[in-house]
């Protein structure tokens, strides 16, 4: 989703093992052989070779595990190594362990193939729900960053999108109730409604009303459902000289201007999905200057805490992190800083950096 998180799985969670793990079987075999060759007396350490096939299972498939198992049995019978003590017991034990390791490697290999296939399908489906944000939409340079709280997922309870319309470039960033895969259906519904409403709604207020109605209708299908979402909607004028903002229960955007970070003074409105009859949001219009940028983030950023429970000081740190960088680098820097600040991030973290350009600054007009 935008600049998505890479493979955050550790090697104990299904990612490929690091090089040192792959080298363990060979390192152990070399260590045993060297120790027996340099020792003036026979060493009863042949049993250590029995660990090589199980270690191979961590990194290799059944074929390589079988080769290493055969190599271990051969080493036990090489007279120069003097590893055949106390006799056939070591050979039989290691042979059994090697055969068992080959079977385990075969099962693990088949399981990993199935998991890789399922993960590929899940990633394709999730990217279809939330495709990456383009680097430029009309006169606005864009960068989005998403880090799902639930490991192994690409989308969760947060969402964003940037689209061009006849009324200018429009963007949304929001946070639905819940986290992880359980929130994907609501995210999909909201993004679908946003992409359709962007094309035919005349203003941001109507666009917010359409999203609110989408959640109200979805909730009505299930008497136990209580669907709601916070969101920020922005609309740049066709010339990118001003922006209108609607905030629906969500932290307001931050304006980066002349080395300072200033929260946009928005008119707060209720979260989407509450369906308050007769209520309507009010958009705030903000004139833009050359070099201005908007930084929009989920509460996963502002509510990140350090070890003492202090909230992340976004407004204090953002100007330095955004100085002299493009939108993508700004999002990456903020994410890295949040991770250093907070030892445990338990919420989805989403950022959207929007940099409008005047007609004179656009590449096509140079």
């Amino acid at each position: 989703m935008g600049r998505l998180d890479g493979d955050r799985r550790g090697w104990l969670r299904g990612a490929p093992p690091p090089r040192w793990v792959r080298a363990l079987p060979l390192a152990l075999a070399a260590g045993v052989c060297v120790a027996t060759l340099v020792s003036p007396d026979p060493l009863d350490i042949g049993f250590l070779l029995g660990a090589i096939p199980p270690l191979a299972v961590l990194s290799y498939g059944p074929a390589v595990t079988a080769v290493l198992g055969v190599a271990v049995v051969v080493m036990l019978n090489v007279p120069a190594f003097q590893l055949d003590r106390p006799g056939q017991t070591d050979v039989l034990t290691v042979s059994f362990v090697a055969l068992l390791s080959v079977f385990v490697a075969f099962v693990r290999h088949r399981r990993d193939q199935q998991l890789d296939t399922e993960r590929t399908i899940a990633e394709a489906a999730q990217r279809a729900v939330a495709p990456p944000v383009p680097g430029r939409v009309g006169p606005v340079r864009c960068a989005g960053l998403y880090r799902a709280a639930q490991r192994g997922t690409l989308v969760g309870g947060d969402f964003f999108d940037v689209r061009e319309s006849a009324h200018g470039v429009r963007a949304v960033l929001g946070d639905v109730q819940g986290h992880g895969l359980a929130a994907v259906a609501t995210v999909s519904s909201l993004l679908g409604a946003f992409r359709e409403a962007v094309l035919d709604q005349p203003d941001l207020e109507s666009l917010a009303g359409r999203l609110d109605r989408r959640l109200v209708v979805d909730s009505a299908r299930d008497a136990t459902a209580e669907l709601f979402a916070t969101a920020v909607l922005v609309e740049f004028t066709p010339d990118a000289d001003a922006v209108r903002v609607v905030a629906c229960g969500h932290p307001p955007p931050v304006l980066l201007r002349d080395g300072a970070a200033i929260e946009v003074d928005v008119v707060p409105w209720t979260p989407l999905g509450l369906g308050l009859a007769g209520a309507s949001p009010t958009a705030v219009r903000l004139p833009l200057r050359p070099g201005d940028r908007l930084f929009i983030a989920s509460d996963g950023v502002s509510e990140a805490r350090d070890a003492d429970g202090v909230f992340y000081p976004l407004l204090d740190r953002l100007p330095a992190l955004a100085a002299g960088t493009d939108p993508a680098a700004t999002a990456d820097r903020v994410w890295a800083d949040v991770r250093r600040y907070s030892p445990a991030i338990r919420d989805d973290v989403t950022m959207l950096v929007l940099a409008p350009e005047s007609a004179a600054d656009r590449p096509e007009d140079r």
Side-chain angles (χ1 to χ4, degrees), residues 202-333:
D203 51 52
L204 279 186
E205 292 87 347
S206 300
L207 180 55
R210 177 70 67 87
L211 299 183
D212 178 74
R213 187 179 67 179
R214 176 73 273 165
L215 288 185
V216 171
V217 171
D218 290 347
S219 295
R221 296 176 181 174
D222 184 352
T224 62
E226 295 181 0
L227 302 180
F228 65 88
T230 63
V232 169
L233 296 99
V234 301
E235 176 187 87
F236 294 92
T237 59
D239 292 332
D241 58 358
V243 63
R244 300 179 75 241
V245 181
V246 167
C248 306
H250 198 279
V254 176
L255 174 66
L256 292 165
R257 171 180 288 173
D258 298 331
I262 308 166
E263 266 193 357
V264 177
D265 188 13
V266 299
V267 178
W269 196 55
T270 57
L272 302 173
L274 298 185
L276 298 179
S280 177
T282 301
V284 172
R285 189 179 188 277
L286 178 69
L288 296 174
R289 304 174 187 172
D292 285 354
R293 281 175 287 173
L294 281 186
F295 179 89
I296 312 173
S298 66
D299 55 11
V301 175
S302 57
E303 294 183 2
R305 300 170 183 251
D306 63 8
D308 297 324
V310 179
F311 289 116
Y312 178 73
L314 176 63
L315 295 180
D316 295 335
R317 299 198 180 202
L318 187 55
L321 296 171
T325 64
D326 59 17
T330 298
D332 287 337
R333 284 186 177 185

